[in-house]
């Protein structure tokens, strides 16, 4: 395939023939090109070479991440359509030496997700092919589909009905009772087959039991046959989130003649409990960020690790496989949403997408939970100030808001029962299963997060977004930056005016205040909004669109340290409590120290795994410019800082 693409607005669908485009213009590709505004149907055109080395081979075109509905034309012949943002579309074609590929893309009628919101640039809503296109050569008979699904807690190859949906199954596997990997292959027989598929299992990067089996395959020429097998895994090694254990994985490979395919899987079990998540029967803390589409997924995972995250929420969009592969390797848990944002939620289509999502990504061990509907309504679209009257207004808006949860609950039921599902994520008043909390940004002051969580205690159980925005460019217009509003930045700036420096300092303070309040209250699952800006000039990210750190990334990395001491209240002159947070699996003996101006003190404390304990008080004098906290445990020191 060439790298040269043109695109244009479709003016006539052309009946039985290719569509008419009035003007073709160069575009970078069919992913998310800008310049087409709100036009409904966009065509993309390029040329592709014959991918085959041998004329007996077969040429295949694969589309990944279709937004809306795509119609595919090659050399004036219609190959078909595809409308799934989850499952790749695959089409066989008879190639010439050079071939004109034409893709006609329509906007989705539903499930546009985050692409149709003000959280991302307008051109993210342009219909296209999000993850790319591949033209490949395959043998005459080849493996068209290769699905693998791991499950824990069985020794028997024939025990296909074994229930791996309980913590006891995970514990049994951890104790060496066994696991299994269900393998399904769809084989496209271009010629008659009387052969066998070789299935192999090998551990990646650790010593463990490998396996190999041959499964007979017979098919007539032109048939497609399905082959299923269950591979037993003796004494399995489990995949763990980072900070809790190794990220052990297995590669399953299928080989038929000259064709092969492979998938890398992990063995783990995840379930929800009141305090958060259980992974392999053990409680973990999931703290991290929401991630929006665009940019390099692998680089974003590295940024999350640098910021001490253990969780990334793919908010209202479906990311490419490379995102999951990076999370598998890094030990980052994934909260995966359906592409559903706003009030519209067609249940039948949602059920189809839920099933496809689980089948496509279910083998990735990083996949920890699903979300269905994001922000069904927003009672705080018009921002509020701070103070007593603002608190009353927050309560009034929450009281008068209502959301019908039934469609989201119906879609949630379509997911398999092996992972937790969050039907509705939204602000106070939507009766959310996971909350958006934006004190210090859309309403109240950041320090009012404690009042908010005391007034509505359930909001702190699972948090799908919190934080504030900031500018990165002096010349940027906040009104044009996704996620930002001049009125919100003016609230932050006060009398000093809106500048990148002031907005970034306020953003860092807001994120730190809310994150540490959630840690003090032992929230089990929470994600800051958001990891990286989606446009130049600023946004809700703690990193810029180019991946450069803002002060908020450094502040949140401190607040997300697995072992950390945090202040219990605002950093103002007087006495404030200190809490020691321990997100590790170990009981710790630590010395917690503090310094504010000329005042300093230490206290020795013991904290159990995944618990918090009081660690004394700090006395902040009026002339202090900052407060420094230190935790000395074993042979290391963890620091936290508050500027006054």
């Amino acid at each position: 395939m060439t790298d040269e693409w043109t695109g244009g607005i479709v003016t006539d669908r052309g009946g039985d023939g290719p569509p008419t485009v009035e003007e073709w213009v160069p575009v970078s590709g069919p992913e998310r090109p800008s310049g087409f505004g709100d036009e409904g149907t966009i065509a993309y055109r390029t040329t592709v070479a014959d991918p085959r080395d041998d004329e007996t081979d077969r040429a295949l075109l694969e589309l990944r991440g279709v937004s809306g509905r795509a119609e595919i034309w090659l050399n004036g012949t219609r190959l078909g359509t595809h409308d799934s943002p989850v499952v790749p579309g695959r089409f066989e074609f008879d190639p010439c030496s050079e071939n004109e590929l034409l893709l006609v893309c329509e906007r989705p009628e539903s499930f546009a997700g985050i692409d149709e919101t003000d959280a991302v640039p307008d051109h993210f809503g342009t219909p296209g092919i999000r993850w790319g296109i591949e033209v490949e050569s395959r043998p005459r008979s080849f493996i068209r589909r290769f699905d693998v699904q791991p499950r824990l807690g069985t020794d028997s190859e024939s025990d296909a009905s074994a229930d791996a949906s309980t913590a006891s199954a995970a514990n049994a596997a951890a104790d060496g009772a066994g696991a299994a990997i269900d393998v399904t292959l769809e084989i496209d027989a271009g010629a008659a087959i009387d052969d066998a598929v070789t299935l192999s299992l090998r551990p990646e990067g650790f010593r463990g039991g490998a396996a190999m089996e041959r499964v007979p395959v017979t098919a007539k020429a032109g048939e497609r046959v399905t082959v299923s097998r269950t591979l037993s895994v003796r004494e399995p090694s489990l995949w763990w989130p980072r900070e809790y254990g190794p990220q052990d994985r297995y590669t399953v490979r299928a080989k038929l003649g000259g064709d092969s395919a492979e998938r890398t899987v992990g063995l783990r079990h995840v379930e929800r409990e009141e305090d958060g998540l259980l992974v392999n029967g053990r409680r973990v803390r999931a703290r991290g960020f929401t991630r929006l589409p665009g940019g390099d997924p692998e680089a974003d995972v590295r940024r999350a690790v640098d910021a001490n995250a253990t969780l990334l929420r793919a908010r209202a969009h479906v990311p490419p496989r490379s995102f999951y592969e990076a999370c598998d390797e890094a030990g980052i848990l994934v909260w995966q949403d359906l592409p559903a944002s706003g009030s519209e939620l067609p249940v039948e289509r949602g059920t189809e997408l839920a099933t496809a999502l689980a089948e496509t990504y279910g083998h990735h061990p990083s996949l920890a939970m699903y979300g269905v509907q994001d922000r069904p309504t927003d009672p705080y679209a018009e921002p509020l100030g701070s103070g007593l009257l603002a608190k009353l207004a927050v309560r009034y808006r929450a009281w008068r808001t209502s959301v019908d949860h039934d469609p989201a609950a119906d879609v949630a039921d379509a997911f398999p029962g092996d992972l937790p599902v969050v039907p509705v994520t939204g602000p106070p008043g939507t009766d959310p299963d996971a909350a958006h909390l934006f004190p210090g940004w859309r309403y109240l002051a950041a320090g009012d997060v404690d009042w908010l969580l005391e007034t509505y205690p359930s909001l702190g159980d699972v948090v799908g977004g919190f934080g504030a925005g900031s500018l990165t460019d002096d010349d940027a217009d906040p009104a044009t930056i996704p996620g930002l509003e001049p009125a919100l930045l003016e609230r932050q700036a006060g009398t000093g005016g809106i500048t990148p420096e002031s907005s970034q300092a306020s953003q860092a303070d807001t994120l730190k205040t809310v994150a540490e309040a959630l840690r003090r209250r032992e929230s089990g699952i929470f994600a800051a909004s958001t990891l990286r800006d989606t446009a130049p000039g600023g946004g809700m990210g703690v990193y810029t669109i180019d991946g450069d750190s803002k002060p908020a990334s450094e502040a949140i990395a401190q607040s997300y340290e697995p072992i950390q001491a945090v202040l219990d209240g605002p950093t103002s002159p007087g006495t404030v409590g200190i809490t020691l947070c321990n997100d590790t699996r170990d009981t710790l003996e630590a010395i917690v120290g503090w310094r504010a101006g000329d005042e300093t003190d230490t206290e020795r404390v013991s904290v159990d795994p995944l618990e918090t304990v009081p660690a004394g008080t700090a006395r902040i004098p009026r002339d202090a410019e900052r407060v420094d906290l230190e935790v000395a445990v074993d042979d290391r020191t963890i620091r936290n800082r508050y500027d006054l």
Side-chain angles (χ1 to χ4, degrees):
M1 180 179 296
T2 72
D3 292 329
E4 297 179 0
W5 285 88
T6 55
I9 300 168
V10 173
T11 55
D12 186 345
R13 290 306 298 264
D16 295 332
T20 300
V21 173
E22 185 172 317
E23 180 184 11
W24 292 99
V25 297
V27 295
S28 58
E31 290 83 11
R32 288 186 174 88
S34 58
F36 292 120
D38 294 328
E39 299 296 334
T41 304
I42 308 296
Y44 303 94
R45 183 176 64 179
T46 191
T47 58
V48 299
D50 184 348
R52 303 172 303 165
D53 295 324
D54 188 320
E55 289 186 357
T56 63
D57 288 345
R58 301 164 74 173
L60 290 183
L61 169 71
E62 182 171 281
L63 312 180
R64 303 190 188 106
V66 171
S67 169
R69 178 179 180 273
E71 187 176 64
I72 300 92
W73 296 79
L74 196 84
N75 300 328
T77 299
R78 184 178 182 273
L79 297 184
T81 62
H82 190 67
D83 65 354
S84 174
V86 181
V87 180
R90 308 189 80 185
F91 301 89
E92 186 173 357
F93 64 96
D94 294 322
C96 303
S97 58
E98 290 290 332
N99 306 272
E100 183 183 75
L101 174 63
L102 182 67
L103 307 173
V104 183
C105 299
E106 300 175 351
R107 289 179 179 270
E109 295 181 0
S110 61
F111 289 94
I114 204 74
D115 285 349
E116 292 289 348
T117 73
D118 58 5
V120 296
D122 290 342
H123 72 271
F124 275 39
T126 301
I129 315 298
R130 299 294 187 239
W131 310 335
I133 298 166
E134 184 175 345
V135 177
E136 59 182 345
S137 176
R138 302 302 297 272
R140 237 177 128 185
S141 295
F142 67 96
I143 301 168
R144 175 174 286 273
R145 184 170 61 90
F146 183 37
D147 292 335
V148 293
Q149 296 293 337
R151 51 191 173 90
L152 291 172
T154 176
D155 276 319
S156 172
E157 176 183 310
S158 62
D159 187 12
S161 64
D163 182 6
S165 64
T166 65
S168 60
N171 289 329
D175 291 337
I181 299 175
D182 297 322
V183 180
T184 303
L185 302 99
E186 183 182 71
I187 296 169
D188 193 326
I193 300 175
D194 186 5
D195 201 348
V197 174
T198 301
L199 297 177
S200 62
L201 174 73
R202 70 174 188 270
E204 291 294 325
F206 65 96
R207 298 187 66 179
M212 181 177 291
E213 292 191 28
R214 287 177 58 81
V215 183
V217 179
T218 58
K220 297 177 182 179
E223 280 190 331
R224 287 184 186 172
V225 296
T226 299
V227 175
S228 298
R229 197 71 162 185
T230 296
L231 300 177
S232 293
V233 186
R234 306 295 180 181
E235 298 182 359
S237 293
L238 302 183
W239 181 96
W240 292 91
R242 62 185 299 265
E243 301 173 4
Y244 295 93
Q247 288 74 55
D248 289 343
R249 286 160 291 158
Y250 296 83
T251 294
V252 183
R253 188 171 189 264
K255 187 176 187 301
L256 174 67
D259 192 37
S260 64
E262 64 180 38
R263 295 282 187 271
T264 300
V265 304
L267 299 168
R268 60 87 184 95
H269 174 74
V270 182
E271 63 179 324
R272 173 86 183 278
E273 66 164 10
E274 185 177 349
D275 293 333
L277 295 176
L278 289 176
V279 178
N280 302 328
R282 296 176 181 171
R283 191 157 55 102
V284 304
R285 296 283 188 208
R287 57 183 190 276
F289 300 90
T290 60
R291 181 188 179 271
L292 300 180
D296 181 350
E298 297 173 65
D300 280 347
V301 172
R302 291 193 294 271
R303 293 180 185 109
V305 170
D306 290 343
N308 290 315
T310 60
L311 171 79
L312 282 173
R313 177 190 173 201
R315 182 185 169 195
H317 77 285
V318 181
R321 285 187 184 273
S322 58
F323 170 76
Y324 272 92
E325 291 165 355
C327 289
D328 290 346
E329 183 175 353
I332 295 290
L333 297 167
V334 176
W335 168 350
Q336 175 62 64
D337 283 355
L338 284 180
S341 188
S343 59
E344 182 184 7
L345 190 66
V347 172
E348 183 176 355
R349 177 60 170 162
T351 298
E352 293 173 0
L353 289 176
T355 302
L357 195 62
E359 291 176 349
T360 303
Y361 289 118
H363 67 281
H364 287 283
S366 56
L367 179 57
M369 56 190 292
Y370 298 108
V372 176
Q373 187 177 20
D374 177 67
R375 201 173 68 175
T377 187
D378 189 1
Y380 306 99
E382 295 181 4
L384 293 169
S386 58
L388 176 60
L389 291 180
K391 289 179 179 178
L392 293 174
V394 165
R395 298 189 67 170
Y396 175 70
R397 292 191 187 184
W399 171 75
R400 72 178 186 180
T401 301
S402 63
V403 170
D404 181 6
H405 281 229
D406 289 345
D410 290 342
V411 175
D413 288 341
F415 284 103
D418 59 337
L419 290 178
V421 183
V422 177
V424 173
T425 303
T430 59
D431 191 22
D433 304 283
H436 287 163
L437 302 178
F438 286 95
W441 180 241
R442 289 207 162 270
Y443 45 80
L444 309 179
D448 290 327
V449 62
D450 288 301
W451 171 85
L452 191 64
L453 295 176
E454 288 165 4
T455 305
Y456 305 102
S458 65
L459 294 180
D461 294 344
V462 182
V463 178
F466 65 89
S470 64
L471 296 175
T472 59
D473 188 340
D474 286 314
D475 298 325
D477 179 2
T480 66
I481 298 175
L484 299 188
E485 299 172 28
L488 298 177
L489 289 171
E490 287 169 1
R491 282 193 62 210
Q492 290 184 319
T495 59
I498 304 173
T499 67
E501 291 76 15
S502 66
S503 67
Q504 289 181 32
S506 181
Q507 179 191 38
D509 181 68
T510 296
L511 278 157
K512 186 176 185 66
T513 299
V514 177
E516 293 183 356
L518 293 170
R519 290 200 69 179
R520 283 190 281 107
R521 292 172 176 272
E522 299 185 351
S523 177
I525 306 168
F526 56 93
S529 180
T530 183
L531 183 66
R532 183 177 47 80
D533 293 341
T534 59
M540 297 293 289
V542 301
Y543 292 90
T544 70
I545 187 174
D546 297 322
D548 296 328
S549 295
K550 299 182 188 179
S553 68
E554 301 168 9
I556 203 76
Q558 282 188 343
S559 299
Y560 277 2
E561 283 279 2
I563 305 164
Q564 186 57 285
V566 303
L567 294 179
D568 294 348
T571 50
S572 55
T575 300
V576 60
I578 302 172
T579 295
L580 179 61
C581 305
N582 177 19
D583 281 2
T584 75
R585 296 186 299 172
D586 302 318
T587 298
L588 301 174
E589 298 290 335
I591 297 175
V592 178
W594 61 271
R595 179 182 297 277
D598 294 331
E599 298 284 337
T600 185
D601 201 357
T602 62
E603 182 154 335
R604 185 180 295 274
V605 294
S606 176
V607 59
D608 289 332
L610 298 152
E611 299 291 344
T612 62
V613 295
T617 57
R619 301 179 299 277
I620 306 175
R622 292 189 176 279
D623 60 351
E625 296 181 354
R626 69 188 228 189
V627 178
D628 291 290
L629 302 182
E630 286 189 356
V631 181
V633 57
D634 297 330
D635 59 349
R636 58 197 178 107
T637 300
I638 303 102
R639 295 178 173 84
N640 204 356
R641 171 177 171 170
Y642 302 82
D643 293 318
L644 302 178

